Amino acid sequence: TKHGSSSFDFMNKVGKYSPTVSLIMDLEGNVFGGYTYATWDITKKNISDDESGLVEEYKEDNRAFIFSMNKNKKYTVNTPNKAIYVSNESVCSFGYGKDIYVSSEFLVKDVPNYVMFPTGYGNFKDKANEVSGFNKIFDVKEIEVYYVREYQ
């Protein structure tokens, strides 16, 4: 969050890098996030741009997963064609049902960030509170996204 909090800042800083790991800490101290080989930039395919000005795209990644550090759990993607969601209204959003959704205005109070889990990750035996900690709606304290380099 020290590098900006808008979707523009997010895509400008990390959009072209792959793979990345996203770490999210909520105000209750829960740490969770996701890993993807897909890039966070909008690549101009599958874009829906309606009269509201929304620009969005789902990206494919069969190696993506989301996790909860507090619960020590990992959930693999089960809809790889919609592994991550990239839009001008969000940052760090994983899954077609937005299993983890962080608004581009996540620092603004009363702007919802939420976990709608499981839809694109895990299975229906899993529960939303296993990912975020306690709530389906959460307030973000910090977000960090790291580029992961593979050393040979």
Side-chain angles (χ1 to χ4, degrees):
T1 53
K2 70 179 182 178
H3 301 298
S5 60
S6 71
S7 60
F8 175 79
D9 293 333
F10 180 74
M11 286 184 224
N12 192 36
K13 297 286 185 191
V14 302
K16 65 182 179 181
Y17 294 100
S18 170
T20 58
V21 62
S22 302
L23 297 170
I24 303 163
M25 177 183 278
D26 68 16
L27 289 181
E28 284 88 28
N30 298 298
V31 179
F32 53 98
Y35 179 87
T36 183
Y37 272 82
T39 58
W40 290 102
D41 58 341
I42 294 179
T43 59
K44 307 283 188 236
K45 67 174 187 175
N46 300 325
I47 292 178
S48 65
D49 185 1
D50 58 20
E51 292 177 9
S52 70
L54 175 66
V55 179
E56 63 183 347
E57 178 182 359
Y58 286 100
K59 293 206 174 180
E60 184 170 352
D61 181 3
N62 62 1
R63 297 172 283 188
F65 60 87
I66 60 175
F67 57 86
S68 169
M69 298 292 283
N70 299 66
K71 302 283 185 174
N72 197 29
K73 293 204 176 219
K74 173 184 165 185
Y75 306 93
T76 57
V77 66
N78 60 37
T79 54
N81 62 324
K82 294 184 178 181
I84 66 169
Y85 173 75
V86 182
S87 92
N88 61 338
E89 295 184 351
S90 69
V91 297
C92 291
S93 295
F94 290 84
Y96 78 90
K98 300 173 188 87
D99 294 68
I100 298 175
Y101 176 85
V102 179
S103 167
S104 64
E105 297 181 353
F106 65 87
L107 294 176
V108 178
K109 189 169 175 66
D110 298 325
V111 172
N113 307 291
Y114 52 85
V115 175
M116 300 287 287
F117 176 81
T119 52
Y121 289 81
N123 61 56
F124 290 99
K125 293 178 186 173
D126 300 319
K127 298 177 184 170
N129 64 2
E130 290 182 346
V131 177
S132 66
F134 304 105
N135 300 312
K136 287 187 176 180
I137 295 176
F138 62 91
D139 291 315
V140 174
K141 180 176 181 181
E142 187 71 43
I143 296 177
E144 293 293 332
V145 179
Y146 297 95
Y147 166 55
V148 180
R149 281 195 239 174
E150 297 180 24
Y151 290 98
Q152 298 178 2

